[in-house]
Amino acid sequence: MGTDETPGSDNRRKELPAEVHDDGQGEEHGAAPKQDERDERDEQASHAGRKRLTEALWPPRVTRPQLIVALLLFVLGLGLAIQVRSNNDSSALRGARQEDLVRILDELDDRTQRLEDEKQRLEDQRTGLENSSDQAEEARKQTVEKERQLGILAGTVAAQGPGITLTVDDKKGSVEADMLLDAIQELRAAGAEAIQINDVRVVANTHLSDTDGGGVRVDGHKVGKPYRFKVIGKPQDLEPALNIPGGVVQTLEKEQATVTVAGAQKIVVDALRPAKRPDYARSSSQ
């Protein structure tokens, strides 16, 4: 009996590890396919989610209210951009000193007053012609006066009167013709009645150009340096017009030119231009 039980117990002890070992391998081989299936399902779900998100975002679906809001925002942005640009354009005046702004306003007032005076003078001439007992004599006097004025403007007669001298010493050779033209335009706007640059009379059809070797030509005549402007007009109007912020004097000084403006009670403009008959224009009264 003792001998029979011992082998049996030995057999059970030998079989037990084999059964346990077999069960462990079964569980291990069975768990791996389940984990792969879960990973595959998760990947499919993630792919499906990305696909739905892509379909929802592209192509974009714009509704009519969204389009209207976008258009309104565009118009608002455009308006703000225009406003900012207009504010930047006036930054030069905003940065000017108070005395400079006062001088600019005074110059505008003076220009307005000159126009009013010219209007009144013409009205007085008309009234004198209408009320004069000898209208022919009055008309002759006005014609002579008008001829004198036109002769000064055309440069065919000499002129003298109060005014200024403008001297531009361009040692660096950086002053160009358009800068001198800006000075002429500014002087005319300030009421200059006669202008002469060195030995050349400035008239309505005067043109300026740069020379190849440096320098400026006025109506085809090369003028030497320094450039001297003799201007007849009201000094109180001419000088401030050249010295306004960002004006002629500052522009020339940025080019390293030396600019001098001096007022005088008597300026003589004696450079003359030959009278030229127009080739095509004729008086409409003929």
Short mmCIF file of all heavy atoms in Angstrom, two decimals, residues 7-25:
data_model
loop_
_atom_site.label_atom_id
_atom_site.label_comp_id
_atom_site.label_asym_id
_atom_site.label_seq_id
_atom_site.Cartn_x
_atom_site.Cartn_y
_atom_site.Cartn_z
N PRO A 7 4.19 6.06 -5.78
CA PRO A 7 4.29 6.38 -7.20
C PRO A 7 3.15 7.25 -7.67
O PRO A 7 3.32 8.11 -8.50
CB PRO A 7 4.29 5.01 -7.89
CG PRO A 7 4.80 4.09 -6.85
CD PRO A 7 4.33 4.58 -5.55
N GLY A 8 1.96 6.95 -7.07
CA GLY A 8 0.81 7.79 -7.52
C GLY A 8 0.99 9.22 -7.17
O GLY A 8 0.66 10.11 -7.92
N SER A 9 1.45 9.44 -5.94
CA SER A 9 1.67 10.85 -5.55
C SER A 9 2.74 11.50 -6.37
O SER A 9 2.69 12.67 -6.71
CB SER A 9 2.03 10.92 -4.06
OG SER A 9 3.21 10.17 -3.82
N ASP A 10 3.73 10.68 -6.77
CA ASP A 10 4.77 11.25 -7.63
C ASP A 10 4.22 11.63 -8.97
O ASP A 10 4.60 12.63 -9.56
CB ASP A 10 5.93 10.26 -7.80
CG ASP A 10 6.67 10.06 -6.48
OD1 ASP A 10 6.56 11.00 -5.62
OD2 ASP A 10 7.35 9.07 -6.34
N ASN A 11 3.29 10.81 -9.45
CA ASN A 11 2.71 11.14 -10.75
C ASN A 11 1.89 12.42 -10.71
O ASN A 11 1.92 13.22 -11.62
CB ASN A 11 1.84 9.98 -11.26
CG ASN A 11 2.66 8.75 -11.60
OD1 ASN A 11 3.85 8.89 -11.93
ND2 ASN A 11 2.07 7.58 -11.50
N ARG A 12 1.17 12.62 -9.64
CA ARG A 12 0.38 13.85 -9.54
C ARG A 12 1.27 15.07 -9.44
O ARG A 12 1.00 16.11 -10.01
CB ARG A 12 -0.55 13.77 -8.32
CG ARG A 12 -1.76 12.83 -8.51
CD ARG A 12 -2.80 13.09 -7.42
NE ARG A 12 -2.24 12.78 -6.11
CZ ARG A 12 -2.28 11.56 -5.52
NH1 ARG A 12 -2.81 10.54 -6.17
NH2 ARG A 12 -1.79 11.37 -4.29
N ARG A 13 2.34 14.94 -8.75
CA ARG A 13 3.26 16.08 -8.63
C ARG A 13 3.93 16.40 -9.94
O ARG A 13 4.21 17.51 -10.27
CB ARG A 13 4.31 15.81 -7.56
CG ARG A 13 3.76 15.96 -6.12
CD ARG A 13 4.89 16.03 -5.15
NE ARG A 13 5.66 14.78 -5.14
CZ ARG A 13 5.41 13.73 -4.36
NH1 ARG A 13 4.39 13.77 -3.52
NH2 ARG A 13 6.19 12.66 -4.39
N LYS A 14 4.14 15.36 -10.75
CA LYS A 14 4.77 15.59 -12.04
C LYS A 14 3.81 16.15 -13.04
O LYS A 14 4.17 16.92 -13.89
CB LYS A 14 5.38 14.29 -12.58
CG LYS A 14 6.56 13.80 -11.77
CD LYS A 14 7.08 12.50 -12.32
CE LYS A 14 8.29 12.00 -11.49
NZ LYS A 14 8.82 10.70 -12.03
N GLU A 15 2.54 15.81 -12.94
CA GLU A 15 1.56 16.28 -13.92
C GLU A 15 1.10 17.70 -13.62
O GLU A 15 0.69 18.43 -14.50
CB GLU A 15 0.36 15.35 -13.98
CG GLU A 15 0.70 13.97 -14.54
CD GLU A 15 -0.49 13.02 -14.44
OE1 GLU A 15 -1.49 13.47 -13.86
OE2 GLU A 15 -0.37 11.91 -14.94
N LEU A 16 1.12 18.09 -12.38
CA LEU A 16 0.57 19.40 -12.01
C LEU A 16 1.33 20.57 -12.67
O LEU A 16 0.73 21.45 -13.27
CB LEU A 16 0.58 19.56 -10.50
CG LEU A 16 0.01 20.88 -9.95
CD1 LEU A 16 -1.42 21.04 -10.43
CD2 LEU A 16 0.11 20.90 -8.43
N PRO A 17 2.63 20.61 -12.67
CA PRO A 17 3.29 21.72 -13.35
C PRO A 17 3.01 21.76 -14.83
O PRO A 17 2.90 22.81 -15.40
CB PRO A 17 4.78 21.45 -13.08
CG PRO A 17 4.78 20.66 -11.82
CD PRO A 17 3.58 19.77 -11.88
N ALA A 18 2.85 20.57 -15.42
CA ALA A 18 2.55 20.58 -16.86
C ALA A 18 1.22 21.20 -17.13
O ALA A 18 1.03 21.96 -18.07
CB ALA A 18 2.62 19.14 -17.39
N GLU A 19 0.20 20.88 -16.28
CA GLU A 19 -1.13 21.46 -16.50
C GLU A 19 -1.11 22.96 -16.27
O GLU A 19 -1.70 23.75 -17.01
CB GLU A 19 -2.12 20.81 -15.57
CG GLU A 19 -2.37 19.33 -15.89
CD GLU A 19 -3.29 18.70 -14.87
OE1 GLU A 19 -3.63 19.42 -13.90
OE2 GLU A 19 -3.64 17.53 -15.04
N VAL A 20 -0.42 23.38 -15.21
CA VAL A 20 -0.34 24.82 -14.93
C VAL A 20 0.38 25.53 -16.06
O VAL A 20 -0.01 26.59 -16.53
CB VAL A 20 0.38 25.06 -13.60
CG1 VAL A 20 0.63 26.54 -13.39
CG2 VAL A 20 -0.44 24.49 -12.47
N HIS A 21 1.45 24.92 -16.55
CA HIS A 21 2.20 25.53 -17.64
C HIS A 21 1.37 25.62 -18.90
O HIS A 21 1.39 26.61 -19.59
CB HIS A 21 3.47 24.69 -17.88
CG HIS A 21 4.31 25.22 -19.01
ND1 HIS A 21 5.02 26.39 -18.92
CD2 HIS A 21 4.50 24.73 -20.25
CE1 HIS A 21 5.64 26.61 -20.04
NE2 HIS A 21 5.34 25.61 -20.89
N ASP A 22 0.60 24.62 -19.14
CA ASP A 22 -0.25 24.65 -20.34
C ASP A 22 -1.31 25.72 -20.23
O ASP A 22 -1.60 26.41 -21.18
CB ASP A 22 -0.90 23.28 -20.54
CG ASP A 22 0.12 22.21 -20.89
OD1 ASP A 22 1.23 22.64 -21.33
OD2 ASP A 22 -0.17 21.02 -20.70
N ASP A 23 -1.90 25.85 -19.00
CA ASP A 23 -2.94 26.88 -18.84
C ASP A 23 -2.37 28.28 -19.02
O ASP A 23 -2.97 29.17 -19.61
CB ASP A 23 -3.59 26.76 -17.47
CG ASP A 23 -4.40 25.46 -17.35
OD1 ASP A 23 -4.75 24.93 -18.44
OD2 ASP A 23 -4.61 25.04 -16.22
N GLY A 24 -1.16 28.53 -18.52
CA GLY A 24 -0.55 29.87 -18.68
C GLY A 24 -0.30 30.21 -20.11
O GLY A 24 -0.53 31.31 -20.57
N GLN A 25 0.17 29.26 -20.88
CA GLN A 25 0.41 29.54 -22.28
C GLN A 25 -0.88 29.80 -23.00
O GLN A 25 -0.96 30.65 -23.90
CB GLN A 25 1.14 28.35 -22.92
CG GLN A 25 2.61 28.27 -22.49
CD GLN A 25 3.30 27.10 -23.18
OE1 GLN A 25 2.63 26.25 -23.79
NE2 GLN A 25 4.62 27.08 -23.05
#
